[in-house]
Amino acid sequence: MTVGLPFCAFKLLTGLILLGSVAPVGYALLTLGAIDLVLNLVNLVALVVARRRVSAVCLAELAFGKSDLGLAVDVFVSFGLVALVIGAGLLPAAPAWALPLWNVAVVLNVLGAGVGRLLAAVVRSQSSSAA
């Protein structure tokens, strides 16, 4: 939830922003973001109901056969879009209603990464002290 859904927001909102200047890229990102959103929501429901994911979480993961490479490509694309929007000063081109969504996605993503990293370190620390 703190990674997949924010990545969908980055794709969808960047696509929306780019519709005004590079429409084909904007439409491609909107399509990619919508596919990824469906995959993420299906998996979120499956995690709640069956306590496991039932499919890939993004189109890149499907394209690369549910491999780490697919997830790495998705992370690269998503972070690249954030860098593009911020670095090129495109955020003001977003509709006013989209800015809070962008902000929530960034906050969830940053906190999710931080919490994930902290939990992994705690688990490693406990494993090494138990050995």
Side-chain angles (χ1 to χ4, degrees):
M1 208 165 126
T2 62
V3 176
L5 294 177
F7 282 8
C8 294
F10 299 148
K11 292 169 192 151
L12 290 166
L13 295 175
T14 303
L16 186 65
I17 290 168
L18 293 180
L19 284 178
S21 57
V22 192
V25 176
Y27 285 117
L29 287 172
L30 287 171
T31 301
L32 177 60
I35 292 168
D36 286 359
L37 182 60
V38 168
L39 290 170
N40 273 273
L41 292 175
V42 165
N43 278 307
L44 180 58
V45 170
L47 282 170
V48 170
V49 173
R51 298 186 197 273
R52 66 179 185 87
R53 287 193 290 169
V54 294
S55 74
V57 295
C58 62
L59 188 59
E61 188 181 18
L62 281 175
F64 287 94
K66 291 183 82 171
S67 72
D68 287 341
L69 181 58
L71 292 175
V73 166
D74 189 59
V75 169
F76 178 78
V77 167
S78 298
F79 285 171
L81 293 172
V82 171
L84 172 71
V85 169
I86 300 301
L90 298 176
L91 208 48
W97 60 264
L99 295 177
L101 295 175
W102 179 275
N103 291 339
V104 167
V106 169
V107 168
L108 284 175
N109 195 243
V110 169
L111 289 178
V115 168
R117 191 72 187 234
L118 180 60
L119 289 176
V122 168
V123 167
R124 276 193 308 275
S125 173
Q126 290 175 345
S127 295
S128 64
S129 65

